[in-house]
């Protein structure tokens, strides 16, 4: 008897619902239950879902990340940006670059190769917004920390991509001094970010066309889904960042379309099952077998990244004179790490093949740790900040 894809999709939803309820009993976020569900039914534990099927679910991840990015972009209202100014940018810079500097310096001092330490530091600066946003939505968090968080996670990955591009340029120039253009290696990720923002802005403007002819919520919802799918696909086709493109599209929509807020709420009603399946699939991709391989460098990477994020966010808050709650509780909400970091680890492994296995093991293990503890840390921080009732 052949098991088809619909059966596995139902398994994702049922397992996510069940474990989401279980962790709720012990006051943990639903997303933690979704990840545990995926881990248990996936190919590395009970193997209810084969690895080949997990690969086929890549489309779910692409859709979920596109909608998450679109929702994050919708937080960039001009009225809010005028109020906060450069605060989210400065905090994101401190939080990201503190990790890069701390991981690079400490691992190098401990005797690890500088090239390996630099690449791990650059990858460590990336933050996964998905888990954080799910916690904010689940508990309807609101307040200064939540507002700052939504802006910081949107900027964070752009900084991480630039930092990684710079690190790759340095490594390539060290390994191939006569063959590599350092300037070109640095400019490429910047061009990717600028291109993503321009195309996202253009698609956001294009929203006006169907919204001019369709006034019913169902039609506008269909048009919005079509634009989000189009944006994500165009980003992949032109080697741009789907996250940044969809963020810019969401930011444009919320600022130039009168019914922008209603549109975002419409999308929220249909994305919940997609998000649930996305996190279950993410859990299925967590390979426990890599944990014994990480050794001292893996443990140090996890500890240094946690320290860098928390300390960097605090220092950024001090520089920008934010509220005390932002200084003390923003850092732990930036711990989740997933897709972007894993993607960058593949590039890094190709750049330094002799360290490829080490880089992959460290990042995959770090992802496992941060995806499980990140949502819990986010909930606790927002609760201590008084933004979860």
């Amino acid at each position: 008897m052949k098991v088809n894809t619909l059966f596995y999709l139902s398994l994702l939803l049922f397992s996510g619902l069940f474990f989401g309820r279980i962790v709720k009993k012990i006051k943990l976020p639903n997303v933690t239950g979704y990840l545990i569900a995926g881990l248990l039914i996936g190919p590395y534990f009970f193997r209810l879902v084969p690895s080949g099927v997990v690969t086929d679910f890549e489309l779910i991840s692409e859709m979920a990340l596109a909608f998450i990015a679109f929702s994050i972009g919708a937080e960039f209202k001009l009225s809010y940006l005028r109020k906060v100014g450069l605060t989210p940018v400065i905090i994101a810079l401190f939080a990201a670059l503190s990790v890069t500097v701390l991981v690079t310096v400490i691992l190098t001092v401990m005797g690890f190769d500088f090239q390996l330490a630099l690449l791990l530091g650059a990858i460590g600066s990336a933050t996964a917004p998905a888990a954080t946003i799910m916690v904010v939505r689940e508990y309807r968090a609101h307040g200064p920390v939540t507002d700052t968080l939504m802006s910081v996670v949107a900027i964070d990955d752009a900084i991480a991509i630039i930092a990684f591009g710079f690190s790759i340029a340095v490594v390539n120039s060290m390994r191939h001094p006569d063959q590599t253009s350092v300037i070109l290696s640095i400019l490429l990720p910047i061009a990717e970010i600028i291109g993503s923002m321009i195309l996202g802005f253009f698609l956001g403007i294009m929203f006006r066309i169907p919204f001019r002819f369709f006034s019913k919520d169902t039609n506008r919802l269909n048009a919005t889904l079509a634009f989000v799918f189009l944006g994500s696909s165009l980003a992949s086709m032109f080697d741009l960042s789907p996250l940044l493109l969809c963020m810019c599209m969401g930011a444009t929509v919320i600022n130039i379309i009168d019914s922008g807020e209603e549109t975002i709420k419409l999308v929220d009603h249909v994305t919940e099952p997609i998000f649930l399946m996305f996190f279950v699939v993410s859990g299925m991709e967590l390979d426990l077998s890599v944990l014994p391989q990480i050794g001292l460098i893996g443990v140090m990477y996890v500890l240094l990244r946690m320290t860098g994020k928390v300390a960097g966010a605090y220092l950024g808050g001090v520089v920008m004179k934010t509220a005390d709650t932002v200084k003390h509780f923003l850092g732990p909400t930036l711990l989740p790490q997933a897709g972007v970091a894993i993607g960058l680890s593949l590039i890094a492994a190709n750049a330094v093949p002799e360290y490829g296995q080490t880089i992959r093991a460290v990042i995959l293990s770090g992802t496992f740790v941060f995806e499980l503890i990140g949502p819990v840390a986010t909930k606790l921080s927002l609760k201590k900040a008084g933004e979860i009732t």
Side-chain angles (χ1 to χ4, degrees):
M1 181 175 62
K2 183 179 180 181
V3 179
N4 63 24
T5 304
L6 290 177
F7 174 82
Y8 289 119
L9 289 176
S10 69
L11 182 59
L12 297 186
L13 291 166
F14 278 128
S15 62
L17 284 170
F18 177 76
F19 282 96
R21 177 54 62 90
I22 293 295
V23 299
K24 198 77 172 177
K25 297 291 185 182
I26 52 176
K27 301 186 184 306
L28 293 179
N30 283 340
V31 64
T32 302
Y34 303 157
L35 290 166
I36 292 173
L39 176 65
L40 293 178
I41 70 174
Y44 303 111
F45 212 90
F46 289 129
R47 302 179 181 177
L48 298 179
V49 181
S51 57
V53 175
V54 176
T55 304
D56 293 338
F57 288 148
E58 184 178 338
L59 179 62
I60 294 175
S61 299
E62 291 179 7
M63 288 193 299
L65 290 173
F67 283 120
I68 287 167
F70 184 74
S71 298
I72 293 174
E75 297 296 322
F76 282 87
K77 299 176 185 176
L78 289 177
S79 58
Y80 172 72
L81 294 178
R82 292 191 194 99
K83 178 182 176 181
V84 299
L86 291 175
T87 296
V89 177
I90 299 302
I91 292 177
L93 275 170
F94 271 90
L97 298 184
S98 293
V99 174
T100 300
V101 172
L102 197 60
V103 171
T104 302
V105 171
I106 299 298
L107 290 183
T108 302
V109 169
M110 292 177 64
F112 294 101
D113 187 274
F114 172 75
Q115 297 177 22
L116 172 62
L118 179 63
L119 291 175
L120 287 176
I123 296 170
S125 64
T127 296
T132 300
I133 300 309
M134 281 292 287
V135 173
V136 170
R137 291 177 59 172
E138 178 184 348
Y139 293 101
R140 296 182 176 87
H142 58 88
V145 178
T146 302
D147 292 341
T148 307
L149 167 62
M150 299 292 277
S151 303
V152 169
V153 295
I155 300 167
D156 185 275
D157 277 339
I159 296 172
I161 291 171
I162 295 174
F164 182 78
F166 178 79
S167 301
I168 281 288
V170 171
V171 169
N172 285 337
S173 65
M174 293 174 65
R175 297 173 69 85
H176 311 288
D178 300 325
Q179 303 175 17
T180 307
S181 170
V182 177
I183 295 177
L184 182 61
S185 298
I186 295 174
L187 289 179
L188 282 176
I190 296 177
E192 175 187 334
I193 290 169
I194 294 175
S196 302
M197 294 174 67
I198 292 174
L199 186 52
F201 177 71
F202 174 75
L203 290 176
I205 293 176
M206 294 294 289
F207 261 79
R208 284 183 175 274
I209 297 175
F211 275 47
R212 184 178 301 170
F213 297 101
F214 299 107
S215 58
K216 290 181 62 175
D217 286 348
T218 51
N219 289 328
R220 290 189 168 189
L221 175 60
N222 291 333
T224 303
L225 297 182
F227 269 109
V228 173
F229 291 154
L230 177 63
S232 182
S233 63
L234 289 177
S236 299
M237 290 166 61
F238 294 109
D239 293 325
L240 301 174
S241 168
L243 280 175
L244 290 176
L245 191 153
C246 291
M247 282 178 192
C248 289
M249 184 163 55
T252 304
V253 168
I254 201 69
N255 286 294
I256 72 168
I257 294 181
D258 294 336
S259 58
E261 292 191 22
E262 290 78 7
T263 300
I264 301 300
K265 291 178 180 178
L266 284 175
V267 173
D268 289 344
H269 289 309
V270 300
T271 52
E272 286 300 325
I274 297 176
F275 292 160
L276 186 156
M277 290 189 291
F278 165 66
F279 283 106
V280 175
V281 171
S282 297
M284 289 192 290
E285 294 172 341
L286 298 177
D287 185 358
L288 292 175
S289 66
V290 302
L291 293 179
Q293 303 175 30
I294 63 171
L296 176 61
I297 189 172
V299 173
M300 291 304 300
Y301 169 80
V302 170
L303 294 177
L304 291 172
R305 183 177 181 272
M306 292 173 64
T307 304
K309 283 292 182 186
V310 174
Y314 179 84
L315 290 174
V318 170
V319 170
M320 299 309 294
K321 299 178 181 179
T322 63
D324 287 342
T325 52
V326 175
K327 296 174 189 174
H328 293 291
F329 301 118
L330 180 65
T333 67
L334 302 176
L335 293 183
Q337 186 177 49
V340 173
I342 293 173
L344 296 180
S345 72
L346 292 173
I347 301 173
N350 291 329
V352 283
E354 65 269 32
Y355 296 125
Q357 185 175 359
T358 301
I359 291 172
R360 290 286 289 157
V362 169
I363 299 304
L364 289 173
S365 300
T367 296
F368 176 83
V369 173
F370 289 124
E371 280 296 273
L372 288 179
I373 70 172
V376 179
T378 299
K379 181 202 170 183
L380 292 175
S381 296
L382 293 177
K383 190 168 185 177
K384 287 183 178 179
E387 298 186 12
I388 291 179
T389 56

